[in-house]
Amino acid sequence: MAAANGSSDLSSEMEVDAFRRLFPLRYHEHHLLKSVRPDARKLGSARDTTLALGAVASADGSALAKIGSTTMLAAIKMEVMTPTVECPDEGSIAIEFHMPPICSPLVRPGRPAEAASVISKQLSDTILSSGMIDLKELCLVGGKAAWMAYLDIYCLDADGALFDTALLSAVAAFSHLNIPVVSLNDDGRIVLVSEDTVRLKLEKEPVNTEKRKLKLNSLPFSLTCILHKNYILADPTAEEEPIMETIVTVVLDSSHQLVSLNKPGGPVLSHTSVIQDCIGLARRRAKELQSVLNEAISDMEVGLKCDDYTIHSC
């Protein structure tokens, strides 16, 4: 009897899975009628989010961000450059978003993913327009030397809301960033100073005497929502995104001021109240992400104190 029940349950599960694959929209709409999603989330709830700073030891700043299964690895490398004539007292930031084939079965080897260049541009526009980084902070010697921050973000698992997770990893990587020590060499050029050299007496005074954190102003956080009929679903999965009607991404700064709102295509929205509802969800989400970031920074600081204690004890 137990075996018969087990066989019946398995058959029922297979039928549900087949219906989900053949008629994904009807499957999801069935859940929407109950104001719940297939993963048991409420419509306006985001997935569990985790953040780890210092994920790449060889980078000057790095972070690993996860929203649900969507996973991003961000790493920053600092290099000295000659500033432009137009902005002699400013550094620069170059952002590249990568989608290797391992992140999704939709990404084919040897073919760059179409979404990668779009998200790269969106990230650059967001970070620069948000005012998070004052490019003058990256200046070393006016008109002669400034920092170029190369930010590379690798998508390790693409399960929806890629931009949200990529932006979170970028903000976290800049929060973790330690700007290297540099000095003038005999030719008057700015050169990086290794940690071993810092311990020794330099012939010339370093331009910056120790590694320093980059001052960050307003931190941008985003929330992507999908709109379907009268429903608003926050933080969509890769299964939900392609079958719903409209996607809207809201970016707010840490003061909850609107930085940008992106709606790539889809039908015209008939009510502005829908956008207001998305912004309201984004405000709540920004508080959650700020809390996640603060916790990750605290965990990193505790880890550094423990390392220092271990070294001095030895």
Side-chain angles (χ1 to χ4, degrees):
M1 189 69 178
N5 289 338
S7 176
S8 176
D9 291 342
L10 180 60
S11 175
S12 178
E13 287 180 12
M14 291 176 65
E15 288 177 3
V16 171
D17 186 59
F19 181 78
R20 183 174 187 168
R21 292 173 180 273
L22 293 172
F23 308 102
L25 183 56
R26 287 172 58 187
Y27 174 81
H28 282 270
E29 287 181 337
H30 174 74
H31 285 80
L32 291 180
L33 292 173
K34 301 176 183 178
S35 296
V36 70
R37 294 153 82 170
D39 58 9
R41 277 187 292 155
K42 294 180 179 179
L43 303 189
S45 298
R47 293 168 290 177
D48 291 340
T49 303
T50 59
L51 197 56
L53 304 186
V56 182
S58 59
D60 296 310
S62 62
L64 180 70
K66 291 190 69 174
I67 298 180
S69 296
T70 301
T71 308
M72 301 286 172
L73 179 64
I76 301 173
K77 202 67 179 176
M78 304 294 286
E79 290 189 7
V80 179
M81 68 163 195
T82 302
T84 62
V85 177
E86 295 81 7
C87 304
D89 58 346
E90 292 184 358
S92 188
I93 300 171
I95 300 174
E96 198 70 39
F97 181 75
H98 308 269
M99 292 185 70
I102 60 167
C103 77
S104 169
L106 300 178
V107 180
R108 307 300 299 170
R111 297 180 184 178
E114 292 181 9
S117 59
V118 175
I119 294 177
S120 291
K121 179 69 165 58
Q122 199 175 354
L123 286 168
S124 297
D125 293 344
T126 299
I127 289 175
L128 293 176
S129 64
S130 68
M132 179 177 77
I133 298 173
D134 181 0
L135 296 180
K136 294 184 186 299
E137 286 277 316
L138 298 176
C139 181
L140 288 167
V141 179
K144 293 185 178 180
W147 286 112
M148 165 67 86
Y150 290 98
L151 169 62
D152 286 284
I153 301 175
Y154 293 88
C155 179
L156 305 181
D157 193 338
D159 188 26
L162 302 188
F163 175 77
D164 298 347
T165 316
L167 181 61
L168 177 61
S169 70
V171 171
F174 277 113
S175 299
H176 175 253
L177 175 63
N178 286 300
I179 297 180
V181 180
V182 292
S183 177
L184 287 168
N185 66 8
D186 295 334
D187 298 327
R189 294 178 177 273
I190 296 286
V191 293
L192 291 175
V193 178
S194 67
E195 292 186 4
D196 294 333
T197 311
V198 171
R199 298 189 186 97
L200 303 174
K201 185 177 180 181
L202 294 170
E203 293 182 5
K204 296 193 177 184
E205 188 69 21
V207 175
N208 53 319
T209 56
E210 60 182 12
K211 287 187 176 182
R212 64 180 178 88
K213 306 295 288 185
L214 182 63
K215 181 182 176 182
L216 301 180
N217 301 310
S218 286
L219 305 182
F221 298 106
S222 66
L223 176 68
T224 295
C225 299
I226 50 177
L227 314 179
H228 185 72
K229 296 182 178 178
N230 296 324
Y231 301 101
I232 300 177
L233 288 75
D235 181 29
T237 63
E239 183 181 9
E240 294 170 330
E241 284 181 342
I243 62 175
M244 301 295 182
E245 293 175 348
T246 306
I247 295 180
V248 173
T249 300
V250 180
V251 181
L252 303 176
D253 63 21
S254 46
S255 301
H256 296 164
Q257 298 299 308
L258 183 64
V259 175
S260 68
L261 190 147
N262 184 43
K263 177 183 170 293
V268 176
L269 301 179
S270 56
H271 301 288
T272 56
S273 61
V274 174
I275 296 299
Q276 293 298 328
D277 290 341
C278 291
I279 292 174
L281 290 172
R283 286 198 176 101
R284 188 178 72 187
R285 181 59 172 160
K287 291 180 182 178
E288 295 173 357
L289 294 178
Q290 181 71 69
S291 178
V292 170
L293 177 60
N294 292 342
E295 185 177 344
I297 292 173
S298 297
D299 290 345
M300 181 191 65
E301 291 173 347
V302 169
L304 289 175
K305 288 179 180 178
C306 290
D307 291 342
D308 289 343
Y309 176 78
T310 303
I311 293 172
H312 288 114
S313 296
C314 295

